[in-house]
Amino acid sequence: MRSGRAAHVVATVVVAAAGLSSCGSDDEAQAVAALKSQIVANNSMVSDTAISDEQSTCIARGAVDAITVDRLQDYQILDDRLDVQKRLSEVPLSAKDADALAGVYLECSDAERIVEDRLVARLAPAGKSRAARRAKITACVRDAVTADVVRDILAQSFQKTGATAYTRLVEQLGACRG
């Protein structure tokens, strides 16, 4: 009896500790809230694709986990009060942090599909091409745009380096037009 009760107490303590550790610090929670607000506001200004509350929370949490509050402050994305000072997209990140943030975007949102849809809209605007041609272009774009390609494009964007990944993709998509 006693060992069963002890096991229950230990299990309760482990579950409680796991719950507490997943909550993070107050600074992390404040940083997540600030980044989430910035992500939602920025998305509404630059995209027709709505970002869900769940996706914006996931991206903000992922950015804080992957980059850390201290480094977000070093980049001046967050100020000393943990308010957003600069948008994530405004600051050149290190290659490591840019790749991590690109991974967060892929994990938390449908970034691959968004890129595909935008490219299809450019290559075969609705109403301007026959349905069969649009379907062919759509299939070609979906084959060319992979998670790895999108990750490379996003990482280069977050680093503020040359857009070689995007240039390679555009060259590949030349075959989609034909």
Side-chain angles (χ1 to χ4, degrees), residues 119 122-124 133 136-138 140-141 166 169-178:
L119 289 168
R122 285 186 189 155
L123 294 172
R133 182 173 186 271
K136 179 182 170 195
I137 289 172
T138 299
C140 183
V141 167
Y166 184 75
L169 176 61
V170 169
E171 288 171 0
Q172 240 185 322
L173 293 175
C176 295
R177 293 180 187 188

Side-chain angles (χ1 to χ4, degrees), residues 9-175:
V9 169
V10 169
T12 302
V13 170
V14 169
V15 169
L20 288 174
S21 68
S22 68
C23 292
S25 71
D26 287 343
D27 285 353
E28 288 176 349
Q30 189 174 345
V32 168
L35 287 173
K36 178 183 174 182
S37 294
Q38 182 265 319
I39 291 165
V40 170
N42 188 51
N43 184 68
S44 67
M45 289 187 293
V46 298
S47 179
D48 295 335
T49 307
I51 189 166
S52 73
D53 184 65
E54 183 179 328
Q55 289 170 325
S56 60
T57 300
C58 181
I59 292 168
R61 166 58 50 208
V64 169
D65 289 347
I67 299 175
T68 75
V69 171
D70 288 339
R71 286 203 316 270
L72 289 166
Q73 288 175 316
D74 290 344
Y75 285 123
Q76 298 178 346
I77 292 168
L78 298 174
D79 63 19
D80 292 338
R81 294 185 347 239
L82 302 176
D83 291 326
V84 173
Q85 187 172 357
K86 295 179 182 175
R87 292 190 320 242
L88 284 167
S89 60
E90 290 180 320
V91 179
L93 303 178
S94 71
K96 176 185 171 195
D97 289 340
D99 187 59
L101 187 57
V104 166
Y105 269 82
L106 281 166
E107 182 180 317
C108 295
S109 69
D110 202 0
E112 186 177 347
R113 183 61 174 242
I114 291 167
V115 170
E116 290 170 350
D117 291 347
R118 288 182 182 166
L119 289 168
V120 167
R122 285 186 189 155
L123 294 172
K128 293 187 177 184
S129 59
R130 293 174 294 160
R133 182 173 186 271
R134 185 172 172 86
K136 179 182 170 195
I137 289 172
T138 299
C140 183
V141 167
R142 298 222 190 285
D143 286 344
V145 177
T146 65
D148 288 339
V149 168
V150 173
R151 184 185 193 113
D152 290 346
I153 290 169
L154 287 171
Q156 287 178 351
S157 172
F158 293 136
Q159 288 180 71
K160 305 292 180 246
T161 60
T164 57
Y166 184 75
T167 301
R168 280 192 309 270
L169 176 61
V170 169
E171 288 171 0
Q172 240 185 322
L173 293 175

